């Protein structure tokens, strides 16, 4: 089992049209051996670049990459091991199966390249195809397979040579929603079974939360927060993380904090300019009632039923907030309601940089 | 209904005209090569079919026809394979790696290919004398590789750029070297393009006349187009029957290649133009 350490990794691209682009800025990450680590972020945040740097497909502009106890890339020493020497495996979003080879040859490819003995290749391909339930497809070409089957073949090709590290670049995003959920569980089981140190790149928070032992949230080439899925959800480091994680997304209210509220809230917000505070509250933490007590009065502008929950879009003095309630029977669109929330469920952020006020 | 018919008639006449236009001279060649009195099939001379012309040119060793044919096949095949190999290496680098000026190379090559051949033939002749390569296979193969390279490169570029670079990344991570990737992944996938590049350079070299004329002196390296041009015949006068028989024989390899591979050539050339 091998840990991965990234130390102050930077990546700049120089283009003719746009000049220098800093894709990654000072990334420091530790991936525990045998753990499932997720890089989560919106598109263009640099997460795939980071994965390519771990794989050795791209070289960092600065910083070190360590796998196990071996430095595999170091910009200061100008040392960049080839992907071959790093012994990492990768699964791509497009699966990147070799179209002219059968499933067997696709899975066997890394072993053949490593000049493994033929009998051993046969044995290991057989074993992997049993685990992934593709043993009856070994003679097929990739074009004859469904998306889910291709995904399995790509995974098979990655794990067949028992790599030190498994890298996954949005491997499930080309699958339909149902298949995605079942493959997610399967992926996790396989990772557990082989105790593979895994780095998984996704823009889908559900995948990140359900798969990751730890999750790093990236934005604009910078790590915003690293932690367990629970940490990231319940204790976001900043406004970006708070809004990016959780569906429906957190409500963020722009407002002024008056003296009375400041006394009521236990948060030490005294140093802040009262007018420059953002208040975040998750839709599930909002209490909506037809009458009685409540901080705000608002109008229900839309009710959207999702089956297990109902989303109420409530207009409060021009700001729309989203509330999630289990029972929408007592509400109707256009109704005036009282809105309230517990101060313990609130998050406060600085307006100027989105930093969390604790 | 009427419109359909008119269209059909127009189409058929058009195709018939084109075929006639292209094939009539060739039919004439075939006819003359088979005629006993081949003096342009004068109407007053009765047409008699004979294979004597073919028999003469194929069996008379002093005419060296088979030598010319062999020279042509060897020179063209080697040049075509070498040009395609060079072109695939270059195309891999240009489509896969980043280095300054990589987009300039194909353009410069294209510009060079627009030079009239005659403008370099003088210097080429001097160079080949210096190298001692006059009247050798090498003396023809290298210029032919140069001539065929731009064509081969452009075909290979278009077929390589069709192939997703994610495959390269996958193979890199799977431990393959760049050469292994080219050999095991990219070339098999670009086979139609590589085949059409090879065949087109082959046909080009097979038909090439000017360099072959300047750089060869006798049957040791002379190719068939020059052989036909310098054909002296057995009896002093212009031997039309023999000439035409040689011409027909020399066309056979190219026709065979085209017939066998025409689908693939077309597929290779359309890569990049049409998806799938």
């Amino acid at each position: 089992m091998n840990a991965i350490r990234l130390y102050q990794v930077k990546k700049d691209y120089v283009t003719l049209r746009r000049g220098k682009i800093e894709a990654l800025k000072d990334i420091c990450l530790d991936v525990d051996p045998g753990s499932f680590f997720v890089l989560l972020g919106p598109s263009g945040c640099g997460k795939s670049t980071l994965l390519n740097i771990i794989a050795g497909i791209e070289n960092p502009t600065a910083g070190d990459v360590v796998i196990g106890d071996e430095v595999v890339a170091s910009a200061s020493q100008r040392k960049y091991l080839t992907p071959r020497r790093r012994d990492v495996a990768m699964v791509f979003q497009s699966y990147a199966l070799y179209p002219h080879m059968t499933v067997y040859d696709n899975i066997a490819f890394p072993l053949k390249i490593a000049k493994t003995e033929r009998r051993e290749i046969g044995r290991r391909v057989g074993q992997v195809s049993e685990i992934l339930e593709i043993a009856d497809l070994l003679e097929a070409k990739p074009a004859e397979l469904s998306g889910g089957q291709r995904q399995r073949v790509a995974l098979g090709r990655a794990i067949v040579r028992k790599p030190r590290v498994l890298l996954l670049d949005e491997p499930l995003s080309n699958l339909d929603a149902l298949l995605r959920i079942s493959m997610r569980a399967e992926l996790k089981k396989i990772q557990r079974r082989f105790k593979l140190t895994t780095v998984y790149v996704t823009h889908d928070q559900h995948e990140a939360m359900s798969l990751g032992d730890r999750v790093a949230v990236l934005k604009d080439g910078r790590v915003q927060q690293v932690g367990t899925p629970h940490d990231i959800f319940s204790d976001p480091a900043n406004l970006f993380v708070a809004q990016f994680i959780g569906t429906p997304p957190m409500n963020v209210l722009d407002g002024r904090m008056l003296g009375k509220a400041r006394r009521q809230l236990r948060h030490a917000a005294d140093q802040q300019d009262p007018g420059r505070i953002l208040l975040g509250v998750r839709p599930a933490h909002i209490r909506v009632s037809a009458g009685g007590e409540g901080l705000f009065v608002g109008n229900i502008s839309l009710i959207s039923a999702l089956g297990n929950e109902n989303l109420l879009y409530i207009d409060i003095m021009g700001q729309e907030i989203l509330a999630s309630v289990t029972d929408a029977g007592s509400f109707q669109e256009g109704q005036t309601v009282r809105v309230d929330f517990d101060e313990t469920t609130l998050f406060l952020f600085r307006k100027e940089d989105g930093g969390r006020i604790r | 209904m009427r419109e359909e018919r008119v269209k059909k008639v127009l189409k058929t006449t058009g195709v018939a005209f084109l075929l006639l236009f292209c094939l009539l001279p060739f039919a004439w060649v075939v006819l003359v090569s088979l005629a006993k009195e081949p003096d342009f099939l004068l109407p007053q001379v009765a047409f008699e079919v004979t294979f004597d012309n073919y028999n003469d040119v194929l069996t008379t060793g002093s005419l060296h026809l088979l030598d010319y044919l062999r020279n042509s096949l060897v020179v063209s095949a080697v040049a075509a394979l070498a040009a395609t190999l060079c072109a695939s290496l270059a195309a891999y680098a240009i489509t896969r790696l980043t280095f300054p000026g990589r987009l300039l190379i194909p353009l410069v090559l294209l510009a060079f290919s627009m030079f009239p051949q005659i403008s370099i033939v003088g210097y080429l002749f001097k160079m080949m004398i210096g190298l001692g390569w006059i009247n050798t296979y090498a003396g023809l193969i290298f210029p032919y590789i140069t001539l065929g390279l731009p064509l081969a490169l452009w075909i290979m570029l278009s077929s390589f750029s069709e192939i997703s670079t994610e495959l390269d990344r996958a193979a890199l991570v799977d431990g393959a070297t760049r050469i292994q990737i080219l050999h095991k992944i990219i070339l098999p996938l670009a086979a139609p393009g590589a085949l059409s590049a090879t065949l087109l350079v082959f046909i080009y070299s097979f038909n090439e006349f000017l360099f072959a004329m300047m750089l060869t002196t006798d049957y040791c390296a002379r190719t068939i187009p020059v052989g036909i041009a310098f054909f002296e015949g057995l009896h002093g006068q212009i031997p039309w029957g023999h000439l035409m028989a040689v011409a027909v024989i020399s066309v056979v390899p190219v026709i065979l290649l085209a017939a066998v591979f025409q689908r693939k050539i077309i597929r290779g050339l359309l890569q990049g133009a049409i998806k799938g």
Side-chain angles (χ1 to χ4, degrees), chain A residues 120-245:
Chain A
E120 174 69 5
I121 293 180
R123 197 182 65 75
R124 276 161 73 172
V125 173
Q127 189 191 9
V128 164
S129 60
E130 288 294 328
I131 293 168
L132 292 168
E133 293 162 26
I134 46 173
D136 52 338
L137 300 172
L138 289 178
E139 294 310 310
K141 291 271 179 71
E144 302 159 27
L145 305 180
S146 70
Q149 290 167 335
R150 286 181 207 186
Q151 183 57 67
R152 284 160 194 273
V153 176
L155 196 58
R157 186 177 64 187
I159 61 177
V160 72
R161 67 197 157 105
K162 302 181 179 119
R164 295 205 287 183
V165 168
L166 177 62
L167 306 172
L168 301 146
D169 191 356
E170 310 223 10
L172 303 183
S173 39
N174 283 0
L175 301 178
D176 62 61
L178 273 179
L179 199 55
R180 207 179 298 170
I181 291 171
S182 67
M183 274 306 285
R184 218 192 269 168
E186 215 162 316
L187 201 58
K188 183 91 183 178
K189 280 183 207 157
I190 287 168
Q191 188 266 338
R192 287 263 167 82
R193 174 171 177 165
F194 291 96
K195 296 192 173 60
L196 277 166
T197 308
T198 303
V199 181
Y200 186 103
V201 160
T202 182
H203 62 266
D204 181 340
Q205 49 155 319
H206 296 290
E207 279 177 21
M209 303 304 262
S210 62
L211 284 169
D213 294 324
R214 292 209 307 149
V215 178
V217 183
L218 265 73
K219 184 200 169 201
D220 297 337
R222 239 183 247 288
V223 176
Q224 305 293 312
Q225 187 173 3
V226 187
T228 63
H230 179 262
D231 287 345
I232 284 178
F233 181 80
S234 58
D235 189 16
N238 58 33
L239 182 65
F240 174 77
V241 176
Q243 283 189 299
F244 195 68
I245 306 288

Side-chain angles (χ1 to χ4, degrees), chain B residues 15-180:
Chain B
V15 170
F17 172 77
L18 255 177
L19 275 178
L20 217 64
F21 185 81
C22 294
L23 290 182
L24 204 59
F26 189 71
W28 191 263
V29 167
V30 174
L31 273 180
V32 172
S33 75
L34 290 171
K36 195 157 194 140
E37 291 290 334
D39 286 342
F40 286 91
L41 305 178
L42 297 172
Q44 50 269 49
V45 182
F47 179 73
E48 267 185 86
V49 173
T50 173
F51 287 98
D52 286 353
N53 294 323
Y54 287 91
N55 200 29
D56 288 350
V57 293
L58 284 173
T59 53
T60 313
S62 61
L63 291 178
H64 298 299
L65 173 73
L66 291 177
D67 291 326
Y68 299 149
L69 201 58
R70 189 193 61 228
N71 295 342
S72 269
L73 289 175
V74 171
V75 166
S76 311
V78 174
L81 289 174
T84 308
L85 189 72
C86 289
S88 61
L89 288 169
Y92 184 87
I94 291 166
T95 54
R96 261 56 189 178
L97 311 177
T98 43
F99 54 91
R102 70 198 174 98
L103 297 177
L104 213 63
I105 294 173
L107 293 176
V108 168
L109 223 54
L110 187 68
F112 281 153
S113 75
M114 288 171 186
F115 270 56
Q117 257 180 288
I118 191 80
S119 65
I120 52 170
V121 82
Y123 183 74
L124 192 66
F125 185 69
K126 274 188 74 172
M127 191 168 99
M128 288 304 169
I129 285 179
L131 287 167
W133 280 2
I134 293 289
N135 206 30
T136 62
Y137 282 177
L140 285 182
I141 288 170
F142 281 95
Y144 286 175
I145 293 174
T146 319
L147 286 179
L149 202 52
L151 178 68
L153 178 66
W154 277 85
I155 294 174
M156 296 309 271
L157 275 180
S158 84
S159 62
F160 278 16
S161 57
E162 288 280 287
I163 300 166
S164 161
T165 52
E166 199 143 89
L167 289 182
D168 292 66
R169 300 201 290 138
L172 266 182
V173 175
D174 282 342
T177 61
R178 290 284 182 183
I179 292 290
Q180 281 174 321

Side-chain angles (χ1 to χ4, degrees), chain A residues 22 33 51 85 104 132 184 221 308 310 315:
Chain A
E22 294 178 60
L51 202 68
R85 295 267 316 278
Y104 181 94
L132 292 168
R184 218 192 269 168
N308 58 342
N310 298 280
D315 183 64

